[in-house]
Amino acid sequence: MNAFVAELVSGAVGVARPRIEGPAKVTGAARYAADEPMPDLAFGAIVMSAVSRGRVRDLDVPAVLGMPGVIGVVDHRNAPRLSPLAGTFFGPDGGLLMLQDGVVPYAGCPVALVVARTPEQAKAAADALPVTYDEQPHDTHFSAGHPAARPASTVFGEDANVGDVEAELARSAVVVDEWYRTPEEHCGAMELHSATAWWDGERLQAVDCNQGPFIVATGLATLFSLEPERVRVRAEHVGGGFGSKGLCGPQLVLAVMGATLFGRPVRVTMSRHQVFLMTPPRPATEQRVRIGAGADGSLRAIDHEAAFEVSPLASYVENCVEPTKTLYAAAAIRTRLTAVPLDILPPFSVRGPGLTPGSFALESAMDEVAERLGLDPLELRLRNEPAAGPVSGLPFSRRDLVACLREGARRFGWADRDHRPRTRREGRLLAGTGLAATAFSTGALPSSASITAEADGSFTVAVGASDIGTGARTALIAVAADALRVGTDRIRMRIADSDFGPAWAAGGSRGTASWSWAITDAAAKLRERLGDPERPVTVTADTTRVLGGLPPRERHAYSAIFAQVTADPATGEVRVRRLLGMFAVGRVVNPLLARSQAVGGMIMGLSMALHEEGVRDRASGRQVNADFAGYHIAAHADVPDVEADFVPDYEPDDPSGIKGVGEIGTVGTAAAIANAVWHATGVRQRTLPIRVDRVLEDDPR
Ligand code: MOS
């Protein structure tokens, strides 16, 4: 046990506590972005492009100006000018440049904002606004072999080129060479995207729903060419994000435009249909995986080529090959990432970006290797544990994948499994089990926090964190209490305000680690000054420098997911009967909240495996199922008992031992389910979702 674990064993970290804002949420007292009371508030309704590519020929604004309550219309002729420098983690993002020139780059792009006294009046006028277009041919049809395909940005590192893949494949006893496909998928957060913006003298203020108020405020300042100090963004309560609230959203950009033009607070709340068309999807992927193995199950070569769709407006990388670079030892490892630009909204991070479709391909292919070798898929993974990063050569900080696999197998009852497919029946149903292993990269990102020792002996902690439903507030209170060596009742946690200073977002499974480190550093500074007679006293810490000095290592969370399914050969229906995930996520700050994260992630993985599919009509270029009637997600009746638990783990380089738990639940689940469907039916499902027609069409008899 390392020092901090021993020291804090009796502290608040590690104790299961319900989220402190729970009562406020269930009684309706908690205010989400669309709930904030505001005097003189006007409402904006977005008009979306009806075509997939072209130019607005005319917007007949006078036709709606006389409608009840209408205050005005923002379009490309009167909108404030935006800076093309604004962007995301991936670089400048032309998708943010709304209402600038009348150019339509994708179906559903905003072409106007109608502002009125009530939401109903705004919507009525937006629906009535006559818009004509000069339409141009569009291309929204994705395939890996598309002529526009080009190498993806290397923002996540260079392609892997270890050893000689072709030579090792030639030497292998078995070779799997298959294509795997995943569709466009959507975040589908329960809270619709909403923002309210107003000018407070020279200062732009906004209440928004987002995953990182500081990052969003900085982006907004760049976009509107304002000094960063002149922009304040808050996001007190957020009803889910999953990636879709990680950037400066259309609701916020358009609300600022309305507030600027009409000189009063403007609120923009999207409809569900608009959330589907205007907030970024996970791009569709096509992935070819080749794996060669010796007769003893040792991997000789892994070659993973992943193609995904992008927009020419913005760089984005769906980093499908991350697991391939770290999960298994092999004599040769090669990865390639290919981006295919299409006339679509720029895709962005969704629920375990990159790794989720990537691990579906890799872990399905691994199961196919085990099948061809006649080897237990668990054993195949255990035999290929690397001693160091298989591509990077770096040491692992802590690698607890084997512990996850062994403990998961023990609890699931894997030892009794008959590995032959299509041999078990439950009445007319075919039954099977499957597993998948995963890793998810972790590590804190630069953040700041301040702590005030108040005159009454309490402490006010301020950090620009965002609680998107995870319980971040509650987790951070425990971290702060332990760092200050006081009880949680003496901590007042203030989050979700860009005025609290630079902070990483609730994204990349790195929120808790990033914010906790800043809080811990601030607490250490404050403890040195607790003898000061003067109160209140405030200290601030910023982790940028300390993080820059960390030794390079492979830092990951790990999981092993086990699934049990039935398949109905008459209808093609697959039901998941049991899901079990064992996780190594570093120190668990709050077991109740962490389990909720892991279980929620696994449910998303189940939903991805069986239900979710954004369907694009090739002729119009539009998504045809842009609502929850057409875009299916797992409902209660689809979700079995889900078990999630944690093996003892900690991150040695993190002051609180934290890795991250946000997304790893999602990552391995689809492959575990697809592998179980193979075990049940004898048929591989290499295209998601595993729809009934795919199960039926692939019946081997
Ligand atoms: Mo998450 S998809 O990193 O917001």
PDB file of all heavy atoms in Angstrom, residues 43-45 61 64-65 69-75 78 113-117 125 261-262:
ATOM      1  N   PHE A  43     -36.846  34.707 -26.469  1.00  0.00           N
ATOM      2  CA  PHE A  43     -36.564  33.317 -26.826  1.00  0.00           C
ATOM      3  C   PHE A  43     -36.214  33.210 -28.301  1.00  0.00           C
ATOM      4  O   PHE A  43     -36.879  33.803 -29.151  1.00  0.00           O
ATOM      5  CB  PHE A  43     -37.776  32.439 -26.495  1.00  0.00           C
ATOM      6  CG  PHE A  43     -38.051  32.389 -25.026  1.00  0.00           C
ATOM      7  CD1 PHE A  43     -38.801  33.390 -24.418  1.00  0.00           C
ATOM      8  CD2 PHE A  43     -37.533  31.375 -24.237  1.00  0.00           C
ATOM      9  CE1 PHE A  43     -39.042  33.375 -23.049  1.00  0.00           C
ATOM     10  CE2 PHE A  43     -37.767  31.348 -22.863  1.00  0.00           C
ATOM     11  CZ  PHE A  43     -38.519  32.349 -22.266  1.00  0.00           C
ATOM     12  N   GLY A  44     -35.175  32.443 -28.590  1.00  0.00           N
ATOM     13  CA  GLY A  44     -34.758  32.258 -29.967  1.00  0.00           C
ATOM     14  C   GLY A  44     -35.109  30.863 -30.450  1.00  0.00           C
ATOM     15  O   GLY A  44     -34.919  29.885 -29.725  1.00  0.00           O
ATOM     16  N   ALA A  45     -35.634  30.776 -31.666  1.00  0.00           N
ATOM     17  CA  ALA A  45     -35.883  29.478 -32.289  1.00  0.00           C
ATOM     18  C   ALA A  45     -35.007  29.365 -33.540  1.00  0.00           C
ATOM     19  O   ALA A  45     -34.942  30.300 -34.344  1.00  0.00           O
ATOM     20  CB  ALA A  45     -37.354  29.322 -32.653  1.00  0.00           C
ATOM     21  N   VAL A  61     -37.464  37.584 -44.453  1.00  0.00           N
ATOM     22  CA  VAL A  61     -37.643  38.025 -43.070  1.00  0.00           C
ATOM     23  C   VAL A  61     -38.902  38.878 -42.885  1.00  0.00           C
ATOM     24  O   VAL A  61     -39.655  38.679 -41.916  1.00  0.00           O
ATOM     25  CB  VAL A  61     -36.369  38.751 -42.578  1.00  0.00           C
ATOM     26  CG1 VAL A  61     -36.610  39.418 -41.224  1.00  0.00           C
ATOM     27  CG2 VAL A  61     -35.212  37.753 -42.480  1.00  0.00           C
ATOM     28  N   VAL A  64     -42.226  37.351 -41.637  1.00  0.00           N
ATOM     29  CA  VAL A  64     -42.506  36.901 -40.264  1.00  0.00           C
ATOM     30  C   VAL A  64     -42.379  38.020 -39.226  1.00  0.00           C
ATOM     31  O   VAL A  64     -42.744  37.829 -38.072  1.00  0.00           O
ATOM     32  CB  VAL A  64     -41.595  35.717 -39.843  1.00  0.00           C
ATOM     33  CG1 VAL A  64     -41.817  34.529 -40.761  1.00  0.00           C
ATOM     34  CG2 VAL A  64     -40.121  36.111 -39.818  1.00  0.00           C
ATOM     35  N   LEU A  65     -41.878  39.174 -39.633  1.00  0.00           N
ATOM     36  CA  LEU A  65     -41.654  40.243 -38.642  1.00  0.00           C
ATOM     37  C   LEU A  65     -42.954  40.730 -38.006  1.00  0.00           C
ATOM     38  O   LEU A  65     -42.956  41.190 -36.864  1.00  0.00           O
ATOM     39  CB  LEU A  65     -40.912  41.432 -39.282  1.00  0.00           C
ATOM     40  CG  LEU A  65     -39.401  41.237 -39.480  1.00  0.00           C
ATOM     41  CD1 LEU A  65     -38.779  42.487 -40.093  1.00  0.00           C
ATOM     42  CD2 LEU A  65     -38.702  40.858 -38.181  1.00  0.00           C
ATOM     43  N   GLY A  69     -45.448  38.649 -31.349  1.00  0.00           N
ATOM     44  CA  GLY A  69     -44.317  38.532 -30.438  1.00  0.00           C
ATOM     45  C   GLY A  69     -42.954  38.599 -31.067  1.00  0.00           C
ATOM     46  O   GLY A  69     -41.940  38.604 -30.345  1.00  0.00           O
ATOM     47  N   VAL A  70     -42.878  38.617 -32.397  1.00  0.00           N
ATOM     48  CA  VAL A  70     -41.557  38.537 -33.031  1.00  0.00           C
ATOM     49  C   VAL A  70     -40.771  39.828 -32.795  1.00  0.00           C
ATOM     50  O   VAL A  70     -41.273  40.931 -33.018  1.00  0.00           O
ATOM     51  CB  VAL A  70     -41.684  38.235 -34.545  1.00  0.00           C
ATOM     52  CG1 VAL A  70     -40.321  38.358 -35.237  1.00  0.00           C
ATOM     53  CG2 VAL A  70     -42.257  36.834 -34.744  1.00  0.00           C
ATOM     54  N   ILE A  71     -39.547  39.665 -32.334  1.00  0.00           N
ATOM     55  CA  ILE A  71     -38.667  40.801 -32.052  1.00  0.00           C
ATOM     56  C   ILE A  71     -37.714  41.035 -33.220  1.00  0.00           C
ATOM     57  O   ILE A  71     -37.424  42.171 -33.585  1.00  0.00           O
ATOM     58  CB  ILE A  71     -37.890  40.552 -30.741  1.00  0.00           C
ATOM     59  CG1 ILE A  71     -38.865  40.528 -29.561  1.00  0.00           C
ATOM     60  CG2 ILE A  71     -36.798  41.600 -30.539  1.00  0.00           C
ATOM     61  CD1 ILE A  71     -38.287  39.961 -28.274  1.00  0.00           C
ATOM     62  N   GLY A  72     -37.244  39.965 -33.816  1.00  0.00           N
ATOM     63  CA  GLY A  72     -36.344  40.116 -34.953  1.00  0.00           C
ATOM     64  C   GLY A  72     -35.763  38.789 -35.382  1.00  0.00           C
ATOM     65  O   GLY A  72     -36.026  37.750 -34.767  1.00  0.00           O
ATOM     66  N   VAL A  73     -35.001  38.840 -36.452  1.00  0.00           N
ATOM     67  CA  VAL A  73     -34.407  37.632 -37.022  1.00  0.00           C
ATOM     68  C   VAL A  73     -32.908  37.870 -37.210  1.00  0.00           C
ATOM     69  O   VAL A  73     -32.501  38.929 -37.691  1.00  0.00           O
ATOM     70  CB  VAL A  73     -35.062  37.288 -38.379  1.00  0.00           C
ATOM     71  CG1 VAL A  73     -34.370  36.087 -39.033  1.00  0.00           C
ATOM     72  CG2 VAL A  73     -36.554  37.010 -38.196  1.00  0.00           C
ATOM     73  N   VAL A  74     -32.101  36.882 -36.809  1.00  0.00           N
ATOM     74  CA  VAL A  74     -30.665  36.920 -37.080  1.00  0.00           C
ATOM     75  C   VAL A  74     -30.399  35.987 -38.259  1.00  0.00           C
ATOM     76  O   VAL A  74     -30.838  34.836 -38.244  1.00  0.00           O
ATOM     77  CB  VAL A  74     -29.838  36.433 -35.868  1.00  0.00           C
ATOM     78  CG1 VAL A  74     -28.350  36.693 -36.105  1.00  0.00           C
ATOM     79  CG2 VAL A  74     -30.303  37.078 -34.575  1.00  0.00           C
ATOM     80  N   ASP A  75     -29.718  36.490 -39.280  1.00  0.00           N
ATOM     81  CA  ASP A  75     -29.269  35.601 -40.350  1.00  0.00           C
ATOM     82  C   ASP A  75     -27.888  36.063 -40.804  1.00  0.00           C
ATOM     83  O   ASP A  75     -27.282  36.929 -40.154  1.00  0.00           O
ATOM     84  CB  ASP A  75     -30.293  35.523 -41.488  1.00  0.00           C
ATOM     85  CG  ASP A  75     -30.481  36.847 -42.211  1.00  0.00           C
ATOM     86  OD1 ASP A  75     -29.515  37.645 -42.280  1.00  0.00           O
ATOM     87  OD2 ASP A  75     -31.595  37.105 -42.719  1.00  0.00           O
ATOM     88  N   ASN A  78     -27.031  39.981 -40.973  1.00  0.00           N
ATOM     89  CA  ASN A  78     -26.881  40.904 -39.838  1.00  0.00           C
ATOM     90  C   ASN A  78     -26.166  40.288 -38.635  1.00  0.00           C
ATOM     91  O   ASN A  78     -26.008  40.937 -37.608  1.00  0.00           O
ATOM     92  CB  ASN A  78     -28.260  41.443 -39.401  1.00  0.00           C
ATOM     93  CG  ASN A  78     -29.192  40.334 -38.910  1.00  0.00           C
ATOM     94  OD1 ASN A  78     -28.898  39.145 -39.089  1.00  0.00           O
ATOM     95  ND2 ASN A  78     -30.299  40.707 -38.302  1.00  0.00           N
ATOM     96  N   LEU A 113     -31.973  32.610 -36.818  1.00  0.00           N
ATOM     97  CA  LEU A 113     -32.519  32.528 -35.467  1.00  0.00           C
ATOM     98  C   LEU A 113     -33.645  33.546 -35.374  1.00  0.00           C
ATOM     99  O   LEU A 113     -33.426  34.735 -35.603  1.00  0.00           O
ATOM    100  CB  LEU A 113     -31.444  32.857 -34.420  1.00  0.00           C
ATOM    101  CG  LEU A 113     -31.935  32.758 -32.965  1.00  0.00           C
ATOM    102  CD1 LEU A 113     -32.019  31.298 -32.524  1.00  0.00           C
ATOM    103  CD2 LEU A 113     -31.047  33.559 -32.019  1.00  0.00           C
ATOM    104  N   VAL A 114     -34.846  33.058 -35.062  1.00  0.00           N
ATOM    105  CA  VAL A 114     -35.985  33.964 -34.899  1.00  0.00           C
ATOM    106  C   VAL A 114     -36.157  34.231 -33.406  1.00  0.00           C
ATOM    107  O   VAL A 114     -36.258  33.290 -32.612  1.00  0.00           O
ATOM    108  CB  VAL A 114     -37.274  33.352 -35.483  1.00  0.00           C
ATOM    109  CG1 VAL A 114     -38.449  34.309 -35.271  1.00  0.00           C
ATOM    110  CG2 VAL A 114     -37.090  33.056 -36.959  1.00  0.00           C
ATOM    111  N   VAL A 115     -36.170  35.504 -33.017  1.00  0.00           N
ATOM    112  CA  VAL A 115     -36.273  35.872 -31.608  1.00  0.00           C
ATOM    113  C   VAL A 115     -37.648  36.494 -31.358  1.00  0.00           C
ATOM    114  O   VAL A 115     -38.093  37.372 -32.108  1.00  0.00           O
ATOM    115  CB  VAL A 115     -35.140  36.847 -31.218  1.00  0.00           C
ATOM    116  CG1 VAL A 115     -35.266  37.268 -29.751  1.00  0.00           C
ATOM    117  CG2 VAL A 115     -33.783  36.192 -31.471  1.00  0.00           C
ATOM    118  N   ALA A 116     -38.307  35.994 -30.306  1.00  0.00           N
ATOM    119  CA  ALA A 116     -39.662  36.474 -29.994  1.00  0.00           C
ATOM    120  C   ALA A 116     -39.857  36.497 -28.483  1.00  0.00           C
ATOM    121  O   ALA A 116     -38.986  36.066 -27.727  1.00  0.00           O
ATOM    122  CB  ALA A 116     -40.706  35.580 -30.657  1.00  0.00           C
ATOM    123  N   ARG A 117     -41.045  36.975 -28.072  1.00  0.00           N
ATOM    124  CA  ARG A 117     -41.281  37.139 -26.634  1.00  0.00           C
ATOM    125  C   ARG A 117     -41.530  35.819 -25.910  1.00  0.00           C
ATOM    126  O   ARG A 117     -41.268  35.712 -24.713  1.00  0.00           O
ATOM    127  CB  ARG A 117     -42.474  38.081 -26.417  1.00  0.00           C
ATOM    128  CG  ARG A 117     -42.073  39.529 -26.518  1.00  0.00           C
ATOM    129  CD  ARG A 117     -43.239  40.492 -26.323  1.00  0.00           C
ATOM    130  NE  ARG A 117     -43.333  41.406 -27.447  1.00  0.00           N
ATOM    131  CZ  ARG A 117     -42.424  42.340 -27.727  1.00  0.00           C
ATOM    132  NH1 ARG A 117     -41.369  42.495 -26.958  1.00  0.00           N
ATOM    133  NH2 ARG A 117     -42.545  43.103 -28.776  1.00  0.00           N
ATOM    134  N   ALA A 125     -42.882  31.458 -35.747  1.00  0.00           N
ATOM    135  CA  ALA A 125     -42.288  32.303 -36.787  1.00  0.00           C
ATOM    136  C   ALA A 125     -41.135  31.582 -37.490  1.00  0.00           C
ATOM    137  O   ALA A 125     -40.959  31.720 -38.707  1.00  0.00           O
ATOM    138  CB  ALA A 125     -41.812  33.618 -36.167  1.00  0.00           C
ATOM    139  N   LEU A 261     -27.678  41.517 -30.849  1.00  0.00           N
ATOM    140  CA  LEU A 261     -28.443  42.306 -31.822  1.00  0.00           C
ATOM    141  C   LEU A 261     -29.653  42.996 -31.201  1.00  0.00           C
ATOM    142  O   LEU A 261     -30.009  44.101 -31.591  1.00  0.00           O
ATOM    143  CB  LEU A 261     -28.924  41.412 -32.972  1.00  0.00           C
ATOM    144  CG  LEU A 261     -27.911  41.121 -34.073  1.00  0.00           C
ATOM    145  CD1 LEU A 261     -28.579  40.325 -35.185  1.00  0.00           C
ATOM    146  CD2 LEU A 261     -27.321  42.409 -34.638  1.00  0.00           C
ATOM    147  N   PHE A 262     -30.307  42.329 -30.228  1.00  0.00           N
ATOM    148  CA  PHE A 262     -31.581  42.868 -29.732  1.00  0.00           C
ATOM    149  C   PHE A 262     -31.475  43.464 -28.333  1.00  0.00           C
ATOM    150  O   PHE A 262     -32.475  43.909 -27.776  1.00  0.00           O
ATOM    151  CB  PHE A 262     -32.667  41.794 -29.823  1.00  0.00           C
ATOM    152  CG  PHE A 262     -32.811  41.267 -31.228  1.00  0.00           C
ATOM    153  CD1 PHE A 262     -32.574  39.934 -31.521  1.00  0.00           C
ATOM    154  CD2 PHE A 262     -33.131  42.133 -32.271  1.00  0.00           C
ATOM    155  CE1 PHE A 262     -32.674  39.462 -32.819  1.00  0.00           C
ATOM    156  CE2 PHE A 262     -33.229  41.664 -33.578  1.00  0.00           C
ATOM    157  CZ  PHE A 262     -32.992  40.327 -33.856  1.00  0.00           C
TER     158      PHE A 262
END
